[in-house]
Amino acid sequence: MTEELNVRYSDKDLAEFKALIQEKIEKAKHDLDLIKSAYMNDLNNGTDDTSPTFKAFEEGSETMSKEANSQLAIRQEKFIRDLKNALIRIENKTYGVCRVTGKLINKDRLKLVPHATLSIEAKNMQQ
């Protein structure tokens, strides 16, 4: 079969993944803002907002060291960058193709890890 030469997800599938990734980017940016505001709050110990959800988050962040907080922010920024790179692969129509095996990455895996560039098969080979 010549299908192997032109392995890719359909435009319809790519559009679905694009919507999923854009949603995840928005949530990730929101989470990053929370992490950063908690970090800023550690610096000034302000109680500008005393709503219960903010208070719980604030108390939790006080126990977390500033280093851990900045590590979280760095990881979140990397996650956002990986998701944006996935959007570029969607535009190039290379999204969902394993960079090692060249085969399609399982749809369920992509729904869980939308920025994946390796199939489970390739990931297992790395171990």
Side-chain angles (χ1 to χ4, degrees):
M1 263 199 184
T2 56
E3 190 186 321
E4 278 296 313
L5 296 174
N6 196 16
V7 175
R8 75 173 192 87
Y9 278 107
S10 71
D11 290 348
K12 182 178 178 282
D13 287 333
L14 291 177
E16 285 175 29
F17 284 123
K18 184 176 185 173
L20 174 78
I21 290 169
Q22 286 172 328
E23 200 175 293
K24 286 200 180 271
I25 287 173
E26 286 312 305
K27 185 185 181 323
K29 282 180 177 177
H30 176 73
D31 291 349
L32 181 61
D33 288 343
L34 281 179
I35 293 165
K36 284 182 174 175
S37 71
Y39 180 77
M40 294 313 289
N41 218 44
D42 284 348
L43 300 178
N44 67 14
N45 284 331
T47 51
D48 310 333
D49 186 342
T50 51
S51 71
T53 53
F54 185 83
K55 219 172 180 161
F57 187 80
E58 180 185 50
E59 286 163 10
S61 74
E62 281 173 12
T63 60
M64 198 188 309
S65 69
K66 288 184 180 90
E67 293 82 33
N69 223 344
S70 68
Q71 283 303 313
L72 263 180
I74 289 166
R75 253 199 349 255
Q76 198 66 7
E77 285 168 347
K78 182 188 182 308
F79 179 55
I80 292 168
R81 190 173 60 243
D82 290 346
L83 288 171
K84 285 181 175 177
N85 287 338
L87 285 179
I88 292 168
R89 290 193 301 279
I90 286 175
E91 294 307 312
N92 298 340
K93 300 194 189 302
T94 59
Y95 179 79
V97 178
C98 175
R99 61 186 162 85
V100 172
T101 65
K103 296 176 186 168
L104 281 183
I105 299 171
N106 183 295
K107 255 188 186 177
D108 291 335
R109 172 165 167 69
L110 288 172
K111 284 179 182 168
L112 290 173
V113 188
H115 56 288
T117 59
L118 294 173
S119 61
I120 292 294
E121 180 187 353
K123 195 139 180 74
N124 289 340
M125 290 190 301
Q126 285 184 332
Q127 294 171 351

